[in-house]
Amino acid sequence: MGLSPDDPHLGRVAYAKLQGDGLEYFIRKYEVLLGRKSKSTELDIVLGDNMNISRQHAKIAYNFALGKIGNA
């Protein structure tokens, strides 16, 4: 028994969920880049445009050796 392509649960299928103040992101890739909004940096999750946030602030990656999500 599988899911149909129009099943509303498919929008929530992910490896992990990142949730915070005004942020909810379902991680669907093996590597996700977080940071400050910038024209020169392609991000998966924009944390804001405050100069206290680095353009490439953090990377979350799946660790195949450990079989879990962790900070890279």
Side-chain angles (χ1 to χ4, degrees):
M1 178 182 205
L3 295 173
S4 69
D6 58 343
D7 190 308
H9 292 99
L10 285 178
R12 299 175 62 97
V13 174
Y15 298 112
K17 178 178 155 182
L18 181 63
Q19 186 172 357
D21 188 27
L23 171 75
E24 181 178 80
Y25 183 83
F26 293 95
I27 298 174
R28 296 182 176 97
K29 300 177 2 179
Y30 291 126
E31 188 173 286
V32 177
L33 186 60
L34 297 80
R36 181 180 74 227
K37 186 176 183 178
S38 166
K39 293 178 184 175
S40 63
T41 306
E42 204 170 305
L43 300 169
D44 297 298
I45 302 172
V46 177
L47 300 175
D49 57 5
N50 187 307
M51 293 300 285
N52 290 327
I53 303 168
S54 300
R55 282 180 282 175
Q56 294 182 2
H57 199 77
K59 179 170 61 173
I60 299 173
Y62 187 84
N63 185 325
F64 287 93
L66 296 176
K68 64 181 181 179
I69 299 250
N71 292 336

